[in-house]
Amino acid sequence: MTDGTGFESIPPTTLADILGRAQVMDIGIRPLWSPIPRVAGPAFTVRCPPGDNLMLHAAIHRAQPGSIVVVESGDVDYALAGGNVCAVAQRRGIAAFVLDGVIRDLGEVREMGFPVFARGVIPIPGTKAAAEPLNVQVRCGGVDVNAGDIVVADEEGIVVTPHARQDEVLLAAQAKLAKEADESLDAWEAAHRARIDKILSDKGFEGSTTRD
C-alpha cells in the first residue's frame, strides 16, 4: 500500500492516540473554510524559503492525483498560493494543500471547495526565484514529513503517519475504531469512572462521585 487507501475512514483523533503528539501538527495550521471534508493521501513535500512560492507553483504540475501537497514555508508575510493555483491543483486531482504558511483568494478557494489547511490569509503574493528540490524532508506544523508519508486532515487536526508504519498504524486504527463501536456509552462510563477514581485514589484524593 502506497496511496493511503483506508486512511480516509480514520479520524485524526484515532491516529493521534496511536502515534502520539510528535506526529500531530500544531493548532496554527487549520482548515481555512468550513465545513471542510476529511482528506487523506501521501505527502508530496515542498520547501519554500521566505517570501518565495516558486516550488509550490512547480509542485502542482508534478504531484500525482490523490496526493496532499505539504509545504514548509519560511514566513507568513507572503502568500504561497492563490485561487488559480488551487484551481489547477484541484483540476489535476491533488487532494489538498497543507501549508506552514498563508494563501490569498480565500473566497475563490472556498467557493471551489478545495481543501486548504494553513496558518491564515494575506493578500500579497510571494516572488518566484528560489529553486529547491522537491520531495525532500520538510518540517510542517512542527512535524517532520517525508514524501509518501500518509497525511490525514480534517477539522480535528492534521496527523502524519510515517510511510514505513502505514500498514501497522492502519490496522491498529481500524481495530481501535471497531472496539469503540462495540462499546456502549454505559460501558464506557463505568470503565471511565473506575479508571479516574483509581488514579485519584492513588494520588490521595478524597471525595466520592454522585451515584445514580
Side-chain angles (χ1 to χ4, degrees):
M1 177 178 55
T2 59
D3 61 358
T5 299
F7 277 86
E8 65 279 352
S9 65
I10 309 297
T13 48
T14 300
L15 293 171
D17 288 345
I18 293 168
L19 288 164
R21 181 68 188 85
Q23 297 304 119
V24 180
M25 292 191 188
D26 71 57
I27 62 170
I29 301 181
R30 61 192 186 278
L32 293 189
W33 53 269
S34 180
I36 205 161
R38 180 181 302 146
V39 294
F44 185 97
T45 59
V46 180
R47 182 178 294 132
C48 291
D52 199 281
N53 60 28
L54 174 63
M55 296 317 297
L56 173 54
H57 288 237
I60 65 170
H61 303 290
R62 291 162 174 80
Q64 293 297 308
S67 60
I68 294 178
V69 175
V70 178
V71 181
E72 174 185 329
S73 176
D75 63 72
V76 291
D77 298 318
Y78 298 90
L80 289 164
N84 284 343
V85 168
C86 291
V88 171
Q90 184 180 52
R91 176 188 288 179
R92 296 203 64 256
I94 292 169
F97 285 169
V98 174
L99 313 175
D100 202 331
V102 295
I103 69 162
R104 66 180 194 164
D105 303 329
L106 177 57
E108 294 178 28
V109 175
R110 179 172 53 238
E111 185 175 353
M112 73 180 73
F114 182 65
V116 177
F117 299 79
R119 293 201 181 273
V121 180
I122 201 166
I124 186 169
T127 59
K128 296 168 183 62
E132 299 269 348
L134 292 168
N135 276 328
V136 297
Q137 186 181 82
V138 300
R139 192 158 179 83
C140 185
V143 178
D144 290 331
V145 185
N146 290 283
D149 289 351
I150 303 303
V151 179
V152 178
D154 67 13
E155 63 186 3
E156 295 288 343
I158 306 161
V159 184
V160 180
T161 299
H163 179 269
R165 296 187 60 194
Q166 59 180 303
D167 291 336
E168 161 212 339
V169 170
L170 180 59
L171 288 173
Q174 290 170 335
K176 188 175 191 301
L177 288 172
K179 179 181 178 182
E180 291 169 353
D182 288 339
E183 184 179 45
S184 69
L185 181 59
D186 287 344
W188 185 91
E189 181 184 8
H192 178 262
R193 175 183 286 180
R195 181 167 64 92
I196 297 303
D197 285 351
K198 182 179 187 308
I199 294 171
L200 291 172
S201 177
D202 290 346
K203 294 183 177 296
F205 178 85
E206 296 180 2
S208 60
T209 59
T210 300
R211 302 286 174 176
D212 297 328

